[in-house]
Protein backbone atom coordinates (compact mmCIF):
# COMPACT_ATOMS: atom_id res chain seq x y z
CA UNK A 1 0.00 0.00 0.00
CA UNK A 2 1.23 3.47 -0.86
CA UNK A 3 0.08 6.72 0.73
CA UNK A 4 1.28 10.22 1.59
CA UNK A 5 0.69 12.55 4.54
CA UNK A 6 1.31 16.28 4.76
CA UNK A 7 2.87 17.34 8.06
CA UNK A 8 3.13 20.82 9.55
CA UNK A 9 6.69 21.75 10.47
CA UNK A 10 7.93 24.67 12.49
CA UNK A 11 11.54 24.45 11.33
CA UNK A 12 12.80 25.75 8.01
CA UNK A 13 15.00 24.07 5.44
CA UNK A 14 15.00 23.07 1.82
CA UNK A 15 12.22 20.50 2.10
CA UNK A 16 9.51 22.90 3.31
CA UNK A 17 6.68 23.68 0.93
CA UNK A 18 2.94 24.35 0.80
CA UNK A 19 0.34 21.68 0.04
CA UNK A 20 -2.55 23.74 -1.37
CA UNK A 21 -4.95 20.79 -1.35
CA UNK A 22 -4.63 20.25 2.39
CA UNK A 23 -3.60 23.84 3.24
CA UNK A 24 -0.48 22.71 5.08
CA UNK A 25 2.95 24.34 5.07
CA UNK A 26 5.64 21.81 5.84
CA UNK A 27 6.79 18.42 4.59
CA UNK A 28 5.19 15.34 3.12
CA UNK A 29 6.00 11.73 3.96
CA UNK A 30 5.40 9.04 1.38
CA UNK A 31 5.02 5.55 2.85
CA UNK A 32 5.07 2.07 1.32
CA UNK A 33 3.82 -0.72 3.59
CA UNK A 34 2.98 -4.38 3.08
CA UNK A 35 -0.53 -5.80 3.62
CA UNK A 36 0.33 -6.48 7.26
CA UNK A 37 1.22 -2.81 7.83
CA UNK A 38 4.98 -3.31 8.09
CA UNK A 39 6.99 -0.39 6.75
CA UNK A 40 8.89 -1.18 3.53
CA UNK A 41 10.06 2.28 2.43
CA UNK A 42 9.65 5.92 3.41
CA UNK A 43 10.59 9.18 1.71
CA UNK A 44 10.26 12.74 3.04
CA UNK A 45 9.78 15.58 0.55
CA UNK A 46 8.54 19.13 0.39
CA UNK A 47 4.77 19.37 0.95
CA UNK A 48 4.47 21.06 -2.44
CA UNK A 49 5.36 17.79 -4.24
CA UNK A 50 2.18 16.11 -5.45
CA UNK A 51 1.32 12.57 -4.31
CA UNK A 52 1.65 10.95 -7.75
CA UNK A 53 5.24 12.04 -8.55
CA UNK A 54 6.29 11.37 -4.94
CA UNK A 55 4.80 7.89 -5.11
CA UNK A 56 6.59 7.17 -8.36
CA UNK A 57 9.92 8.27 -6.85
CA UNK A 58 9.32 6.08 -3.81
CA UNK A 59 8.45 3.03 -5.93
CA UNK A 60 11.53 3.58 -8.11
CA UNK A 61 13.72 3.69 -5.01
CA UNK A 62 12.07 0.60 -3.48
CA UNK A 63 12.16 -1.55 -6.63
CA UNK A 64 15.82 -2.75 -6.24
CA UNK A 65 15.16 -3.77 -2.62
CA UNK A 66 11.86 -5.49 -3.40
CA UNK A 67 12.09 -6.92 -6.94
CA UNK A 68 9.06 -9.19 -6.43
CA UNK A 69 6.78 -6.24 -5.66
CA UNK A 70 3.85 -6.88 -7.98
CA UNK A 71 0.67 -5.08 -7.00
CA UNK A 72 0.45 -1.72 -5.22
CA UNK A 73 -2.70 -0.18 -3.81
CA UNK A 74 -2.81 3.61 -3.62
CA UNK A 75 -5.58 6.08 -2.83
CA UNK A 76 -7.11 8.26 -5.52
Amino acid sequence: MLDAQSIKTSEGGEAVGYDAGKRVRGRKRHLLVDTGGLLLAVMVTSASLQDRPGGRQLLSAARPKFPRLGKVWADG
Side-chain angles (χ1 to χ4, degrees):
M1 300 180 84
L2 178 66
D3 201 5
Q5 290 180 310
S6 295
I7 307 157
K8 292 182 183 179
T9 56
S10 59
E11 296 183 22
E14 291 181 23
V16 175
Y18 183 73
D19 183 355
K22 296 177 183 164
R23 298 183 183 140
V24 173
R25 176 167 161 56
R27 294 181 175 91
K28 188 175 284 189
R29 58 182 168 210
H30 303 270
L31 302 170
L32 180 65
V33 298
D34 66 4
T35 55
L38 296 175
L39 184 65
L40 299 177
V42 65
M43 182 176 69
V44 178
T45 64
S46 168
S48 60
L49 183 69
Q50 297 296 318
D51 292 353
R52 185 176 295 184
R56 286 184 180 156
Q57 288 178 11
L58 181 61
L59 286 173
S60 295
R63 176 62 74 186
K65 295 177 186 174
F66 304 102
R68 294 183 49 182
L69 187 65
K71 185 182 279 191
V72 177
W73 286 285
D75 62 344

CSV table of all heavy atoms in Angstrom, one decimal, residues 5-9 11-30 45-51:
chain,number,residue,atom,x,y,z
A,5,GLN,N,1.3,11.7,3.5
A,5,GLN,CA,0.7,12.5,4.5
A,5,GLN,C,1.4,13.9,4.5
A,5,GLN,O,2.7,13.9,4.5
A,5,GLN,CB,0.8,11.9,5.9
A,5,GLN,CG,0.0,10.7,6.2
A,5,GLN,CD,0.3,10.2,7.6
A,5,GLN,OE1,1.4,10.1,8.0
A,5,GLN,NE2,-0.8,10.0,8.4
A,6,SER,N,0.7,15.0,4.6
A,6,SER,CA,1.3,16.3,4.8
A,6,SER,C,1.4,16.6,6.2
A,6,SER,O,0.5,16.3,7.0
A,6,SER,CB,0.5,17.3,4.1
A,6,SER,OG,0.4,17.1,2.7
A,7,ILE,N,2.6,17.1,6.7
A,7,ILE,CA,2.9,17.3,8.1
A,7,ILE,C,3.3,18.8,8.3
A,7,ILE,O,4.2,19.3,7.5
A,7,ILE,CB,4.0,16.4,8.5
A,7,ILE,CG1,3.7,15.0,8.2
A,7,ILE,CG2,4.3,16.6,10.0
A,7,ILE,CD1,4.9,14.1,8.1
A,8,LYS,N,2.7,19.5,9.2
A,8,LYS,CA,3.1,20.8,9.5
A,8,LYS,C,4.5,20.8,10.2
A,8,LYS,O,4.7,19.9,11.1
A,8,LYS,CB,2.1,21.5,10.5
A,8,LYS,CG,0.8,21.8,9.9
A,8,LYS,CD,-0.1,22.5,10.9
A,8,LYS,CE,-1.5,22.7,10.2
A,8,LYS,NZ,-2.4,23.3,11.2
A,9,THR,N,5.4,21.7,9.8
A,9,THR,CA,6.7,21.7,10.5
A,9,THR,C,6.9,23.2,10.9
A,9,THR,O,6.5,24.1,10.2
A,9,THR,CB,7.8,21.3,9.5
A,9,THR,OG1,7.8,22.1,8.3
A,9,THR,CG2,7.7,19.8,9.2
A,11,GLU,N,10.2,24.1,11.7
A,11,GLU,CA,11.5,24.5,11.3
A,11,GLU,C,11.6,24.7,9.8
A,11,GLU,O,10.9,24.0,9.1
A,11,GLU,CB,12.5,23.3,11.8
A,11,GLU,CG,12.5,23.2,13.3
A,11,GLU,CD,13.5,22.1,13.7
A,11,GLU,OE1,14.4,21.8,12.9
A,11,GLU,OE2,13.3,21.6,14.8
A,12,GLY,N,12.6,25.5,9.4
A,12,GLY,CA,12.8,25.8,8.0
A,12,GLY,C,13.7,24.7,7.4
A,12,GLY,O,14.0,23.7,7.9
A,13,GLY,N,14.1,25.0,6.2
A,13,GLY,CA,15.0,24.1,5.4
A,13,GLY,C,14.6,24.0,4.0
A,13,GLY,O,13.6,24.6,3.6
A,14,GLU,N,15.3,23.2,3.2
A,14,GLU,CA,15.0,23.1,1.8
A,14,GLU,C,13.7,22.3,1.6
A,14,GLU,O,13.0,22.6,0.6
A,14,GLU,CB,16.1,22.3,1.1
A,14,GLU,CG,17.4,23.1,1.0
A,14,GLU,CD,18.5,22.3,0.3
A,14,GLU,OE1,18.1,21.4,-0.5
A,14,GLU,OE2,19.7,22.5,0.6
A,15,ALA,N,13.4,21.4,2.4
A,15,ALA,CA,12.2,20.5,2.1
A,15,ALA,C,10.9,21.0,2.7
A,15,ALA,O,10.0,20.3,3.0
A,15,ALA,CB,12.5,19.1,2.6
A,16,VAL,N,10.8,22.3,2.8
A,16,VAL,CA,9.5,22.9,3.3
A,16,VAL,C,8.8,23.5,2.1
A,16,VAL,O,9.3,24.2,1.3
A,16,VAL,CB,9.8,24.0,4.4
A,16,VAL,CG1,8.5,24.6,4.8
A,16,VAL,CG2,10.4,23.4,5.6
A,17,GLY,N,7.5,23.2,2.0
A,17,GLY,CA,6.7,23.7,0.9
A,17,GLY,C,5.3,23.8,1.4
A,17,GLY,O,4.9,23.6,2.6
A,18,TYR,N,4.3,24.1,0.5
A,18,TYR,CA,2.9,24.4,0.8
A,18,TYR,C,2.1,23.4,0.0
A,18,TYR,O,2.1,23.4,-1.2
A,18,TYR,CB,2.5,25.8,0.5
A,18,TYR,CG,1.1,26.1,0.9
A,18,TYR,CD1,0.8,26.2,2.2
A,18,TYR,CD2,0.1,26.3,0.0
A,18,TYR,CE1,-0.5,26.5,2.6
A,18,TYR,CE2,-1.2,26.5,0.3
A,18,TYR,CZ,-1.5,26.7,1.7
A,18,TYR,OH,-2.8,26.9,2.0
A,19,ASP,N,1.3,22.6,0.7
A,19,ASP,CA,0.3,21.7,0.0
A,19,ASP,C,-1.0,22.4,0.0
A,19,ASP,O,-1.7,22.5,1.0
A,19,ASP,CB,0.2,20.4,0.9
A,19,ASP,CG,-0.7,19.4,0.2
A,19,ASP,OD1,-1.3,19.7,-0.8
A,19,ASP,OD2,-0.8,18.2,0.7
A,20,ALA,N,-1.3,22.9,-1.2
A,20,ALA,CA,-2.5,23.7,-1.4
A,20,ALA,C,-3.8,22.9,-1.2
A,20,ALA,O,-4.8,23.4,-0.7
A,20,ALA,CB,-2.6,24.4,-2.7
A,21,GLY,N,-3.8,21.6,-1.5
A,21,GLY,CA,-5.0,20.8,-1.4
A,21,GLY,C,-5.3,20.6,0.1
A,21,GLY,O,-6.5,20.5,0.4
A,22,LYS,N,-4.4,20.5,1.0
A,22,LYS,CA,-4.6,20.3,2.4
A,22,LYS,C,-4.4,21.5,3.2
A,22,LYS,O,-4.5,21.5,4.4
A,22,LYS,CB,-3.8,19.1,2.9
A,22,LYS,CG,-4.2,17.8,2.2
A,22,LYS,CD,-3.3,16.7,2.6
A,22,LYS,CE,-3.7,15.4,1.8
A,22,LYS,NZ,-2.7,14.4,1.9
A,23,ARG,N,-3.9,22.6,2.6
A,23,ARG,CA,-3.6,23.8,3.2
A,23,ARG,C,-2.6,23.7,4.4
A,23,ARG,O,-2.8,24.1,5.5
A,23,ARG,CB,-4.9,24.5,3.7
A,23,ARG,CG,-5.8,24.8,2.6
A,23,ARG,CD,-7.0,25.6,3.1
A,23,ARG,NE,-8.0,25.8,2.0
A,23,ARG,CZ,-9.3,25.7,2.2
A,23,ARG,NH1,-9.8,25.4,3.3
A,23,ARG,NH2,-10.0,25.9,1.1
A,24,VAL,N,-1.5,23.0,4.1
A,24,VAL,CA,-0.5,22.7,5.1
A,24,VAL,C,0.9,23.2,4.6
A,24,VAL,O,1.2,22.9,3.4
A,24,VAL,CB,-0.4,21.2,5.4
A,24,VAL,CG1,0.8,20.9,6.3
A,24,VAL,CG2,-1.7,20.7,6.0
A,25,ARG,N,1.6,23.9,5.4
A,25,ARG,CA,2.9,24.3,5.1
A,25,ARG,C,3.9,23.4,5.9
A,25,ARG,O,3.8,23.4,7.1
A,25,ARG,CB,3.2,25.8,5.5
A,25,ARG,CG,4.6,26.3,5.2
A,25,ARG,CD,4.7,27.8,5.3
A,25,ARG,NE,6.1,28.2,5.6
A,25,ARG,CZ,7.1,28.0,4.8
A,25,ARG,NH1,7.0,27.2,3.8
A,25,ARG,NH2,8.3,28.5,5.1
A,26,GLY,N,4.7,22.7,5.1
A,26,GLY,CA,5.6,21.8,5.8
A,26,GLY,C,6.2,20.8,4.9
A,26,GLY,O,6.7,21.1,3.8
A,27,ARG,N,6.2,19.5,5.3
A,27,ARG,CA,6.8,18.4,4.6
A,27,ARG,C,5.7,17.4,4.3
A,27,ARG,O,4.7,17.4,4.9
A,27,ARG,CB,8.0,17.8,5.4
A,27,ARG,CG,9.1,18.8,5.5
A,27,ARG,CD,10.3,18.2,6.3
A,27,ARG,NE,11.4,19.1,6.3
A,27,ARG,CZ,11.6,20.0,7.2
A,27,ARG,NH1,10.8,20.1,8.2
A,27,ARG,NH2,12.6,20.8,7.2
A,28,LYS,N,6.1,16.4,3.4
A,28,LYS,CA,5.2,15.3,3.1
A,28,LYS,C,6.0,14.0,3.2
A,28,LYS,O,7.1,14.0,2.8
A,28,LYS,CB,4.7,15.5,1.7
A,28,LYS,CG,3.6,14.5,1.3
A,28,LYS,CD,3.0,14.8,0.0
A,28,LYS,CE,2.1,16.0,0.0
A,28,LYS,NZ,1.4,16.2,-1.2
A,29,ARG,N,5.4,13.0,3.9
A,29,ARG,CA,6.0,11.7,4.0
A,29,ARG,C,5.2,10.8,3.1
A,29,ARG,O,4.0,10.7,3.2
A,29,ARG,CB,6.1,11.3,5.4
A,29,ARG,CG,4.8,11.2,6.2
A,29,ARG,CD,5.1,10.7,7.6
A,29,ARG,NE,3.9,10.9,8.4
A,29,ARG,CZ,3.9,11.2,9.7
A,29,ARG,NH1,5.0,11.3,10.3
A,29,ARG,NH2,2.8,11.3,10.3
A,30,HIS,N,6.0,10.0,2.3
A,30,HIS,CA,5.4,9.0,1.4
A,30,HIS,C,5.8,7.7,2.0
A,30,HIS,O,7.0,7.4,2.2
A,30,HIS,CB,6.0,9.2,0.0
A,30,HIS,CG,5.8,10.5,-0.6
A,30,HIS,ND1,4.7,10.9,-1.4
A,30,HIS,CD2,6.5,11.7,-0.5
A,30,HIS,CE1,4.7,12.1,-1.7
A,30,HIS,NE2,5.9,12.6,-1.2
A,45,THR,N,9.6,14.6,1.6
A,45,THR,CA,9.8,15.6,0.5
A,45,THR,C,9.1,16.9,1.0
A,45,THR,O,8.5,16.9,2.1
A,45,THR,CB,9.1,15.1,-0.8
A,45,THR,OG1,7.7,15.0,-0.6
A,45,THR,CG2,9.7,13.9,-1.3
A,46,SER,N,9.2,17.9,0.2
A,46,SER,CA,8.5,19.1,0.4
A,46,SER,C,7.0,18.9,0.3
A,46,SER,O,6.6,18.0,-0.6
A,46,SER,CB,9.0,20.2,-0.7
A,46,SER,OG,8.1,21.3,-0.6
A,47,ALA,N,6.2,19.6,1.0
A,47,ALA,CA,4.8,19.4,0.9
A,47,ALA,C,4.2,19.8,-0.4
A,47,ALA,O,3.1,19.4,-0.8
A,47,ALA,CB,4.1,20.1,2.1
A,48,SER,N,5.0,20.6,-1.1
A,48,SER,CA,4.5,21.1,-2.4
A,48,SER,C,4.5,20.0,-3.5
A,48,SER,O,3.9,20.1,-4.6
A,48,SER,CB,5.2,22.3,-2.9
A,48,SER,OG,6.6,22.0,-3.0
A,49,LEU,N,5.3,18.9,-3.3
A,49,LEU,CA,5.4,17.8,-4.2
A,49,LEU,C,4.0,17.0,-4.2
A,49,LEU,O,3.6,16.6,-3.1
A,49,LEU,CB,6.5,16.9,-3.9
A,49,LEU,CG,6.7,15.7,-4.9
A,49,LEU,CD1,7.2,16.2,-6.2
A,49,LEU,CD2,7.7,14.7,-4.3
A,50,GLN,N,3.4,16.8,-5.4
A,50,GLN,CA,2.2,16.1,-5.5
A,50,GLN,C,2.3,14.6,-5.1
A,50,GLN,O,3.4,14.1,-5.2
A,50,GLN,CB,1.6,16.2,-6.9
A,50,GLN,CG,1.3,17.7,-7.2
A,50,GLN,CD,0.2,18.2,-6.4
A,50,GLN,OE1,-0.8,17.6,-6.1
A,50,GLN,NE2,0.3,19.5,-5.9
A,51,ASP,N,1.3,14.0,-4.7
A,51,ASP,CA,1.3,12.6,-4.3
A,51,ASP,C,1.8,11.6,-5.4
A,51,ASP,O,2.5,10.7,-5.2
A,51,ASP,CB,0.0,12.1,-3.8
A,51,ASP,CG,-0.4,12.8,-2.5
A,51,ASP,OD1,0.4,13.5,-1.9
A,51,ASP,OD2,-1.6,12.6,-2.1
